Amino acid sequence: MDYLCSVFLLPAGAPVEVEEALIAELWMAGTLGVEYDGAVEGRVRLRAYFPYREGTVAMMPAAENGVESLGEEVVAERDWLAVYREGAQPFAVGRTFFVDPRDMPGEPPVAVPAGRTLLRVPARAAFGIGSHESTALAIELMEELDLRGARVLDVGAGTGILAFAALSRGAMLAVGLDADLAAPFHARDNGNRNRLPIRLFAGRLSALAVARPPQQFELAVVNVVPEQILPELPALVALLAPAGGAIWSGILAERGDEALAAAGALGLAEAARRRSGEWVAFRLTRAGGAAAGAGGS
Ligand SMILES: C[S@@+](CC[C@H](N)C(=O)[O-])C[C@H]1O[C@@H](n2cnc3c(N)ncnc32)[C@H](O)[C@@H]1O
């Protein structure tokens, strides 16, 4: 599908209500998405995308409140992830990993810095190539643990990057699950690419609760926003081994206390935290217990 892209400039110093009113109108007009496109002389520029077929015209909102319409252009359908992969460069994550997000035939071999482990995780539909703060925070907390021989559960595995990190650090087993049906397919491909096999399934934690024989994990890594995982925390805690613990990332710092309170009500206490930008991540252990590798690596 091609897109009709309509470009708007907000007035200089416009209050947030002007921007919100414009975005609301664009949604009412059927936009598929609105993106920020920098600023021009202090004026915020927005691009709104609409489905486009020859002869059709989007019902664009009239520019009001001093908003200026800069016109429209037809944008051809592109595989934006492929565009990203072409331009991407490998990058360091945490203290010990080096992620290659490319996936190009004949790509030059990667020069991996000493002391780092290469993870090849091409950017695809599934979230998580390690470039997001929440992924990096989870990896940093994992790097503090001795995972040798541990059974690790990756909840919301996406590309599988956290499970790969755990296996690279000596975990005996990694099970990954994701509510997004496509994610395990990407994670499986990535597992083959890295020769790090994860056991994967599409679904939710409740499926593991009824597994026979019962499953237990020394560590659960969860990079999922509270809105999406809070109702399932009891099921998560039930899957932890007696001395097991969890790393919970994907939490906006302003919701950190709320997340800790929810974990605390289930008997998990903060053992460590990391923060980057607006994101925070916690390592949680059973109150009065010890998590996998509590002695450090
Ligand atoms: C922020 S991404 C994390 C991906 C990857 N683990 C990482 O750290 O980069 C969150 C993932 O969790 C999945 N997800 C959201 N809610 C979930 C739930 N309740 N159970 C399982 N997966 C969930 C999403 O589909 C998404 O792939």
Side-chain angles (χ1 to χ4, degrees):
M1 181 206 298
D2 291 342
Y3 303 98
L4 189 67
C5 173
S6 191
V7 189
F8 296 91
L9 259 191
L10 268 53
V16 71
E17 290 79 22
V18 170
E19 183 179 323
E20 284 173 353
L22 174 63
I23 290 174
E25 280 212 55
L26 290 165
W27 283 110
M28 294 299 288
T31 186
L32 298 168
V34 180
E35 70 173 3
Y36 287 88
D37 185 28
V40 180
E41 292 167 2
R43 301 175 67 186
V44 171
R45 185 166 50 192
L46 293 178
R47 288 178 179 274
Y49 292 86
F50 295 85
Y52 176 77
R53 269 172 225 93
E54 199 122 7
T56 60
V57 183
M59 298 297 289
M60 222 65 70
E64 292 174 343
N65 297 327
V67 174
E68 193 182 337
S69 170
L70 296 187
E72 316 167 340
E73 58 180 342
V74 176
V75 178
E77 167 87 270
R78 291 181 79 177
D79 179 349
W80 292 107
L81 284 165
V83 173
Y84 171 81
R85 288 196 299 272
E86 275 169 34
Q89 289 299 319
F91 53 93
V93 180
R95 275 187 300 114
T96 59
F97 290 100
F98 196 61
V99 173
D100 188 351
R102 303 171 302 166
D103 183 20
M104 317 241 289
E107 65 200 21
V110 192
V112 182
R116 290 191 177 270
T117 302
L118 177 66
L119 294 179
R120 300 184 68 218
V121 189
R124 299 211 180 279
F127 182 102
I129 56 160
S131 57
H132 194 273
E133 287 106 318
S134 63
T135 309
L137 290 175
I139 286 183
E140 287 170 23
L141 284 170
M142 220 189 295
E143 288 175 330
E144 293 173 2
L145 299 174
D146 179 358
L147 291 180
R148 284 172 295 179
R151 296 163 294 178
V152 175
L153 176 63
D154 182 355
V155 182
T159 55
I161 186 167
L162 298 180
F164 301 141
L167 288 171
S168 304
R169 295 189 65 77
M172 172 180 80
L173 168 77
V175 175
L177 66 115
D178 201 295
D180 172 355
L181 300 187
F185 292 95
H186 295 300
R188 182 199 54 194
D189 289 350
N190 292 334
N192 292 338
R193 194 180 297 266
N194 290 284
R195 298 201 175 88
L196 291 170
I198 325 174
R199 291 197 196 162
L200 287 156
F201 71 93
R204 291 183 177 263
L205 278 163
S206 51
L208 280 175
V210 292
R212 291 291 172 270
Q215 304 291 302
Q216 288 220 304
F217 300 90
E218 278 72 37
L219 179 69
V221 280
V222 188
N223 178 10
V224 181
V225 289
E227 294 87 323
Q228 292 181 328
I229 202 65
L230 269 175
E232 295 173 61
L233 277 193
L236 175 74
V237 175
L239 290 164
L240 298 179
I247 288 171
W248 186 5
S249 190
I251 305 166
L252 282 172
E254 68 205 32
R255 298 202 64 185
D257 288 344
E258 185 193 332
L260 281 178
L266 296 166
L268 293 181
E270 175 182 353
R273 75 168 65 189
R274 292 262 176 168
R275 184 170 172 172
S276 175
E278 59 187 345
W279 299 95
V280 67
F282 300 108
R283 181 159 68 81
L284 303 163
T285 55
R286 284 193 197 278
S297 54

